[in-house]
């Protein structure tokens, strides 16, 4: 059996190896003095033993002579022994302890090398080096121990010290990649602080990052250059603020929004980081504040007090006193044992090795290993103890009273906690599952006094993303407070006595919540960015909508048009004929004049429009509770082509209900369950409490009347057996809680399926009333008497690989007054699991495959139930082999499974099949159908089992009836992967069902080929997906298809996927608000997504597309007028509309009517839902395309040319009359164009258009500096304005009417317009 990695003690309070004043380590093996000839693992094997037995001990040499010789040679006879010990430690400071923050951290764990005479005792990497004894090195080491070096140096040295020589190659459990945590002590390796940070910026990065994000858009950069050009006097045109103010306004608004969002994120982080936790402080009260030398805290208090009384000159005599104690009766524990104090620490101050005390409802702040659980006894518990103890008769114990007393506080937990070390946690924010999960403390630490916690060493692997796996060990170092034979190296303590394995059942990851009414003590193993939760979460990023990128491309075209126009105008005049200014100055001035072609108001209008869309979404009564957290991408809701959805809590309610049970010849469902209840009543009826308990082989048969047939008796017996099996084969614990003075009993388990089954057994007459790690009690709901009492011998929990759960129980047959001998009790192995694995485990039959297929077609989750009777010898042989396999470090799970398969999982008696329904969320079926009709391809990504995902996909109609489901699971070879890809290409209409392992293989070796095939399939279901895999799939679809991807989920495990998507939607549900807070949009039910996409998404995109094109038209038309004017005045770069006219045109005279387009809608909501195919048109981007853009460019050129040329022809070219006519027609033209583009009128639109026109008329008297007011008041001005407006507006309107008549849009077809 592989040996566990040798421990490297870290400041254990009682370990003589670390006590500089103790003689416990004054003896040394001969082999230890010759490292060159000693195997690297010799000390570990001799100290703990090995799988093949104990090795012979070599003679030991007293180290006192070595130490005293070193003391004399160093001419330090006058120094105390304490100083001598510090010098010995100081040598190692120069090697391994340079990493630490303070001098107090010299004793640490993990890979550091500590202990007296460390170079002699060093187990790895010493290469026979002699310890230097010069005082210079000691002084240098002491100096360096007070220095703090950069982390990259610290980590390097730690990594070097942590490389064992005798371990196998790279592996998850390789000690070189693992960490050993000294409980309650300082660590040798520096670990990251336990800080949560979701902020995007820091004080230093905010300005540069936000400015970079803003100016990465071309039109922002363009306007920055235009604004900067106005600082040059030769290029200045009009007011400087005309160009700078709009840009500054846009930047301030955008950066202010980013700052506000980031401050809110920091506040949420600060709340979590400032959460207070109770931490156990193991330092002695007299040394806790000073703690000058960590070794001082490791001595017994009697030795420490004696040392304090002795002077420096008396230290050597202390050696003799300690030796006498050691060689006599041993170091006895003083009455003043180290005290354990409770102190409060903020989450950010917690460190690896801290022992925290957690209670019900507390969030786990870091990844921890549970050491101890103790029930928090309440008054109700004390009152119930006497009544409940009668249920828990232990037939093995001769003293029943003692056994009942030991169970006090252990029965009917409130909920879940017990002295046996059990607690429940909620993992909804980590893996998306709402059910509670059972966690246990190891038996080694559960019974350990708090004062001895510092003897514990926890070994775990490197930080990992896998939230469902953990392999490690926990070791309790021998105590110095025993006899000499109890000390390390004595040869009397074996590894099996001091070390036990750790699994996922002994852990609680960060962001899980303690759900039991227990006090849980746990040691922190991983902190901050190394926790499972942090490693599975992708960093947040800024999102920009597809529309913004499209507009960015269009503005580049407009800018090129501006440059070309400027060069052409200068060229027409002639580069050499320019007067006053050189030609490039004129080109630059023209660029500034034509800057309105790329309107900066476009960004302002779009941002205001986004705010309006967000307001509509949040005020919609049909999707109450909707929250818009990212207001920059509402238009993308109308462009979604791929929807990636979580299952649990998103498509389903995660509420299970037992629907059907089949016992071989008869199937029961619905009303037929009453017949099952009658069989159970007859089979488990007991007339008095003194009768023997029911066992599978008991004589309590069904009470049948004279007319009962043999077939009916056989069916009744089968029903009784399967109900009993279902009532016992589970991990469910009954819990009680008080609400409004009433005691409420509920069930908690790691699987909602099990809870549903146990509730069903209660409904048919067999109730689970008590459960702990060793016993289970069932009572009849009909009589209220205890009918079944079993001792739990072993439990084999469900795993994703095994897909089954088993339990070995021993039935009690006696009453409270008498019990049979141990060897006469019935021992049974029960197991339930998926039909795919149970089919080969149960005995041959002819009905299992057919019935499971029938239930699967109904969308039910099937479980096959079987049992096997074991003799006492069979069980003992199994238990012995299983325990040996459990201590294997490498390949532990496989070794344990081989034992289970060999002794238990063969020829099980098939009892029946159950069918459990996972209730769907409200209106999931019609919602999925509507989204599919809208052209959205739906993927379901879940961390659940393959069978569960298949059932939900069928029941939710995600997979159509009759549609072929191609299942790819447990794929390990690349050639097989290629075969599956070829098959999928041949069946493009099938549904792909793939598990996480196979998906990982595809993404690693065939990512492009896989995604090219998968995106063509109508439906893909991925099971057993990690949070990172979900995010990778979203990114891969985005990169390959360049389409918009929406991800929706409700748990903390969906955060990475939501943040990786173009549009992330979080559902506020049972699994908390973590997904909701990280999402761009938050809703309360899945069915709300349809309105969010089909209605609000459609409106947002259509409105923004129309608004963007109209703003471009508004800027382009004024640029065309400027061009015509410049040609008329012989190509001079003089402004047509200056100062207020230019500013007012883009603001008060046209802004409100143009912005009112955000209220327009082409269809009503009923039509959008009735014809979801209308949504499919949006994904092609036709509303804002190059075709529509150039149509608007042509309209702008036509209208601008007509307005300016006609105004110049009907008036004088360079006069105030021309400006008055041209500007008035320009404003009137925009107002009427807005009216022409409106599809559905709104009161606000009318007010904006009419109000703006009246405001313009009212402002004309104040424009005397630009207009000829006398001319404006004449009829000549009026008819010129009307005539030019008619010529400008009638042709575009006529073209629009003709186009709608010849080729009407789809929305007009469905409306019949």
């Amino acid at each position: 059996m592989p040996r566990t990695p040798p421990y490297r003690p870290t400041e254990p309070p009682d370990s003589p190896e670390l006590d500089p004043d103790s003689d416990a380590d004054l003896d040394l093996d001969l082999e230890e003095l010759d490292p060159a000839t000693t195997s690297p693992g010799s000390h570990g094997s001799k100290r703990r033993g090995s799988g093949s037995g104990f090795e012979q001990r070599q003679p030991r040499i007293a180290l006192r002579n070595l130490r005293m010789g070193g003391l004399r040679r160093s001419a330090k006879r006058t120094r105390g022994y304490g100083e001598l010990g510090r010098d010995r430690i100081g040598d190692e400071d120069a090697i391994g302890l340079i990493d630490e923050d303070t001098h107090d951290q010299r004793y640490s764990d993990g890979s550091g090398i500590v202990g007296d005479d460390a170079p002699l005792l060093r187990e790895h990497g010493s290469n026979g080096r002699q310890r230097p004894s010069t005082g210079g090195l000691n002084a240098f080491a002491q100096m360096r121990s007070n220095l703090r070096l950069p982390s990259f140096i610290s980590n390097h040295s730690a990594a070097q010290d942590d490389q064992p020589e005798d371990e196998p190659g790279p592996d998850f459990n390789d000690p070189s990649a693992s960490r050993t945590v000294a409980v309650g002590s300082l660590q040798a390796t520096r670990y990251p602080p336990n800080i949560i940070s979701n902020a995007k910026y820091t004080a230093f990065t905010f300005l540069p990052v936000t400015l970079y994000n803003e100016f990465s858009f071309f039109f922002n950069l363009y306007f920055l250059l235009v604004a900067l050009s106005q600082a040059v006097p030769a290029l200045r045109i009009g007011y400087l603020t005309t160009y700078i103010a709009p840009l500054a306004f846009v930047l301030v608004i955008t950066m202010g929004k980013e700052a506000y969002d980031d401050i809110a994120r920091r506040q949420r982080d600060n709340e979590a980081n400032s959460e207070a936790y109770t931490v156990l402080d193991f330092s002695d009260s007299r040394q806790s504040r000073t703690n000058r030398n960590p070794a001082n805290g490791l001595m017994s208090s009697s030795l420490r007090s004696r040392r304090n009384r002795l002077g420096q000159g008396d230290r050597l005599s202390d050696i003799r006193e300690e030796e006498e104690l050691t060689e006599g009766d041993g170091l006895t524990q003083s009455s003043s044992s180290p005290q354990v104090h409770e102190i409060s620490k903020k989450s950010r101050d917690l460190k690896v090795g801290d022992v925290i005390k957690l209670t019900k409802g507390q969030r786990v702040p870091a990844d921890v290993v549970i050491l101890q659980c103790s029930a928090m006894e309440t008054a109700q518990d004390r009152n119930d103890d006497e009544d409940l103890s009668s249920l828990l008769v232990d037939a093995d114990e001769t003293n029943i009273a003692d056994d009942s007393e030991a169970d006090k506080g252990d029965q009917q937990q409130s909920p879940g906690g017990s002295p046996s070390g059990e607690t429940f946690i909620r993992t909804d924010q980590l893996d998306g599952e709402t059910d509670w999960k059972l966690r246990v403390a190891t038996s080694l630490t559960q019974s350990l006094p708090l004062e001895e916690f510092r003897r514990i060493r926890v070994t775990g692997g490197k930080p990992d993303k896998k939230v469902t796996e953990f392999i490690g060990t926990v070791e309790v170092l021998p105590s110095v407070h025993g006899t000499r034979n109890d000390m390390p190296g004595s040869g009397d303590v074996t590894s099996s006595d001091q070390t036990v394995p750790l699994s996922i059942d002994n852990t609680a990851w960060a962001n899980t919540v303690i759900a039991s009414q227990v006090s849980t003590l746990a040691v922190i193993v991983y902190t901050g960015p190394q926790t499972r939760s942090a490693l599975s979460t992708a960093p947040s990023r800024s999102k920009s909508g597809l529309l913004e990128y499209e507009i960015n491309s269009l503005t580049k075209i407009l800018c090129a048009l501006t440059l070309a126009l400027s060069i052409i105008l200068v060229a027409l005049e002639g580069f050499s004929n320019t007067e006053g200014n050189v030609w490039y100055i004129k080109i630059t001035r023209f660029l500034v004049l034509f800057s309105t072609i790329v309107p900066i108001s476009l960004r302002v209008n779009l941002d205001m429009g986004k705010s309006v869309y967000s307001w509509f979404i949040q005020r919609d009564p049909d999707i109450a509770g909707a929250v818009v957290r990212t207001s920059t991408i509402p238009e993308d809701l109308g462009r979604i082509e791929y929807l990636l959805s979580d299952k649990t809590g998103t498509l389903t309610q995660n509420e299970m209900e037992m629907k059907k049970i089949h016992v071989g010849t008869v199937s029961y469902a619905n009303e037929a369950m009453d017949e099952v209840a009658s069989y159970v009543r007859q089979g488990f009826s007991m007339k008095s409490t003194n009768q023997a308990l029911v066992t599978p082989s008991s004589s309590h048969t069904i009470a049948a009347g004279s007319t009962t047939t043999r077939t009916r008796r056989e069916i009744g017996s089968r029903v009784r057996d399967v109900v009993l099996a279902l009532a016992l084969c589970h991990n469910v614990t009954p819990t009680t809680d008080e609400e409004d003075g009433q005691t409420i009993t509920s069930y908690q388990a790691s699987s909602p399926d099990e809870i549903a089954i146990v509730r069903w057994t209660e409904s048919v007459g067999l109730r689970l009333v008590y459960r702990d790690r060793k016993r289970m009690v069932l009572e009849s709901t009909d009589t209220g008497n205890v009918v079944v009492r079993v001792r739990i011998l072993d439990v084999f929990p469900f795993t994703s690989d095994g897909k089954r759960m088993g339990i070995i129980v021993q039935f009690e047959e006696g009453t409270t007054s008498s019990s049979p001998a141990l060897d006469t009790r019935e021992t049974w192995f029960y197991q339930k699991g998926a039909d795919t694995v149970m089919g080969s485990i149960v005995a041959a039959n002819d009905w299992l495959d057919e019935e499971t297929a029938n239930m699967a077609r109904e969308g039910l989750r099937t479980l096959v139930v079987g049992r096997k009777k074991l003799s006492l010898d069979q069980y003992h042989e199994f238990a012995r082999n299983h325990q040996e396999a459990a201590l294997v470090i490498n390949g532990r799970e496989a070794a344990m499974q081989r034992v289970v398969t060999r002794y238990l999982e063969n020829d099980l008696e098939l009892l029946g099949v159950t069918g459990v329904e996972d209730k769907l969320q409200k209106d999931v079926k019609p919602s999925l159908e509507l989204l599919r009709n809208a052209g959205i391809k739906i993927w379901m990504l879940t961390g659940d089992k393959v069978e569960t995902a298949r059932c939900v996909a069928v029941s939710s109609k995600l997979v159509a009836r009759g549609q072929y489901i191609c299942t790819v699971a447990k794929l390990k070879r690349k050639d097989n992967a290629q075969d599956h890809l070829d098959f999928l290409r041949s069946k493009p209409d099938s549904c792909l069902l793939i598990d996480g392992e196979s998906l990982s293989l595809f993404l690693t070796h065939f990512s492009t080929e896989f995604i090219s095939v998968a995106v063509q399939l109508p439906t893909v279901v991925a099971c057993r997906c990690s949070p990172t895999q979900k995010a990778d799939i979203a990114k891969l679809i985005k990169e390959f298809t360049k389409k918009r991807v929406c991800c929706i989920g409700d748990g903390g495990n969906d955060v990475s996927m939501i943040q990786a998507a173009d549009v992330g939607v979080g559902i506020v549900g049972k699994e908390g608000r973590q997904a909701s807070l990280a999402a761009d949009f938050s809703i309360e039910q899945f069915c709300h997504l349809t309105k969010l996409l089909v209605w609000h998404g459609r409106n947002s995109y259509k409105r923004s597309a129309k608004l963007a094109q109209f703003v471009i038209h508004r800027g382009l038309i004024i640029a065309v007028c400027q061009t015509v004017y410049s040609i008329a005045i012989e190509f001079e770069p003089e402004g047509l509309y200056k100062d207020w006219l230019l500013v007012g045109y883009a603001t008060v005279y046209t802004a409100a009517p143009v912005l009112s387009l955000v209220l327009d809608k082409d269809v009503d909501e009923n039509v959008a839902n009735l014809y979801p195919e209308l949504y499919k048109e949006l994904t092609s981007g036709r509303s804002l395309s190059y075709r529509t853009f150039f149509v608007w460019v042509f309209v702008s050129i036509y209208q601008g040319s007509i307005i300016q040329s006609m105004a110049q022809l009907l008036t004088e070219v360079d006069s105030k009359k021309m400006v008055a006519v041209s500007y008035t027609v320009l404003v009137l033209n925009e107002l009427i164009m807005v009216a022409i583009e409106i599809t559905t009128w709104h009161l606000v639109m009318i007010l904006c258009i009419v109000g703006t026109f009246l405001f313009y008329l009212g402002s004309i008297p104040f424009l005397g500096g630009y207009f000829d007011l006398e001319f404006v008041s004449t009829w000549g001005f009026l008819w010129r304005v009307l005539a030019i407006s008619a010529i400008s507006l009638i042709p575009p309107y006529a073209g629009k009417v003709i186009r709608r008549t010849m080729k009407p849009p789809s929305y007009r077809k469905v409306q019949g317009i």
Side-chain angles (χ1 to χ4, degrees), residues 983-1003:
F983 178 79
L984 287 172
R985 289 190 184 98
S986 64
K987 294 185 72 68
D989 57 343
S990 62
C991 166
L992 173 62
L993 178 63
I994 186 170
D995 69 346
E997 182 180 352
S998 306
L999 182 63
S1000 178
L1001 179 67
F1002 277 119
L1003 296 181

Side-chain angles (χ1 to χ4, degrees), residues 13 23 45 109 348 363 417 450 459 499 510 631 683 712 721 833 863 961 988 1061 1070 1113 1151 1286-1287 1292:
D23 274 10
S45 62
D109 160 271
R348 63 164 65 92
R363 179 184 69 89
L450 296 184
T459 302
T499 305
S631 60
R712 185 169 178 82
D721 289 340
L863 286 175
R961 182 177 293 275
K1070 297 179 181 178
H1113 161 75
I1287 298 173

Side-chain angles (χ1 to χ4, degrees), residues 621-869:
D622 293 335
I623 51 175
V627 178
V628 178
R629 303 191 187 279
T630 304
S631 60
T632 58
I633 56 172
E635 299 91 355
D636 277 8
L637 291 171
R639 310 287 294 277
I640 302 299
E641 293 193 48
Y642 290 90
L643 174 64
L644 276 56
S645 174
D646 179 40
K647 177 191 72 68
T648 306
T650 303
L651 296 178
T652 68
Q653 300 180 31
N654 205 30
E655 292 183 4
M656 309 299 172
E657 183 179 357
M658 180 87 158
K659 285 291 188 180
K660 181 179 286 189
I661 184 169
H662 196 284
V663 294
T665 56
V666 183
S667 179
Y668 297 96
N670 302 324
E671 291 79 8
M673 294 296 183
D674 294 338
E675 188 173 349
V676 175
S678 66
Y679 284 133
V680 172
R681 268 196 309 272
Q682 296 171 9
F684 293 93
S685 62
M686 299 176 64
K687 297 180 180 179
S688 68
T689 57
N690 291 328
Q691 286 183 302
L693 299 172
V694 176
T695 68
S697 303
S698 65
S699 58
H700 291 275
T701 57
I702 299 176
S706 58
T707 59
T708 303
T709 63
R710 178 180 178 183
T711 302
R712 185 169 178 82
R713 287 197 299 273
E714 291 179 352
I715 293 175
S717 178
R718 288 184 181 180
V719 169
R720 188 197 71 165
D721 289 340
V722 73
V723 171
L724 179 60
L726 293 173
L728 295 175
C729 186
H730 53 72
N731 264 320
V732 180
T733 302
T735 62
T736 60
D737 206 350
E738 292 187 6
E739 292 184 8
D740 300 329
Q742 295 182 348
T743 301
I744 298 176
T745 302
S746 59
Y747 298 114
Q748 296 300 338
S750 59
S751 170
D753 298 65
E754 292 194 327
I755 296 177
I757 291 174
V758 171
R759 284 176 177 164
W760 176 81
T761 61
E762 180 181 0
S763 69
V764 296
L766 206 55
R767 179 190 294 123
L768 174 67
V769 293
Y770 174 73
R771 163 75 180 265
D772 63 13
R773 295 173 66 183
K774 294 185 178 180
R775 280 166 293 188
M776 203 182 316
V777 177
L778 306 179
E779 74 176 16
S780 170
T781 58
D782 185 39
T783 63
N785 296 329
V786 173
V787 293
V788 177
R789 185 185 294 116
V790 298
R791 176 180 295 276
I792 301 173
L793 301 180
D794 282 289
V795 176
F796 311 99
F798 178 89
T799 63
S800 57
D801 294 330
K803 300 179 183 177
R804 54 193 181 274
M805 180 268 167
I807 188 171
I808 300 178
V809 296
Q810 197 171 52
F811 283 84
E812 302 282 354
E813 299 179 11
T815 63
T816 56
S817 58
S818 62
S819 59
L822 179 63
D823 55 0
T824 64
R825 297 181 181 178
E826 294 183 27
T827 303
W828 288 82
F829 169 62
Y830 289 100
Q831 191 171 51
K832 68 174 187 287
D835 58 289
T836 53
V837 294
M838 294 294 292
S840 59
I841 295 176
V842 299
N845 61 88
D846 57 356
W847 58 271
L848 178 60
D849 292 340
E850 180 182 356
E851 287 304 322
T852 53
N854 291 338
M855 291 187 184
R857 278 191 290 270
E858 298 177 23
L860 299 178
R861 303 167 67 157
T862 58
L863 286 175
V864 179
V865 187
R867 68 176 181 177
K868 183 178 185 179
K869 191 172 184 179

Side-chain angles (χ1 to χ4, degrees), residues 1-2 4 470-474 495-496 499-503 506 794-796 878-900:
M1 182 171 62
T4 57
F470 178 77
I471 295 179
T473 58
V474 61
S495 175
S496 60
T499 305
V500 296
L502 292 175
S503 67
N506 309 116
D794 282 289
V795 176
F796 311 99
F878 159 77
R880 182 175 61 255
N881 286 275
H882 194 259
Q883 177 63 23
E884 291 178 0
L887 293 176
V888 175
I889 293 298
N890 295 321
R892 178 192 299 170
E893 297 295 334
M896 294 170 66
Q897 183 55 47
R898 284 194 295 270
V899 175
V900 172

Side-chain angles (χ1 to χ4, degrees), residues 527-540:
T527 52
Q530 293 185 345
T531 61
R532 256 63 169 179
S533 177
L535 291 173
S536 300
T537 302
S540 58

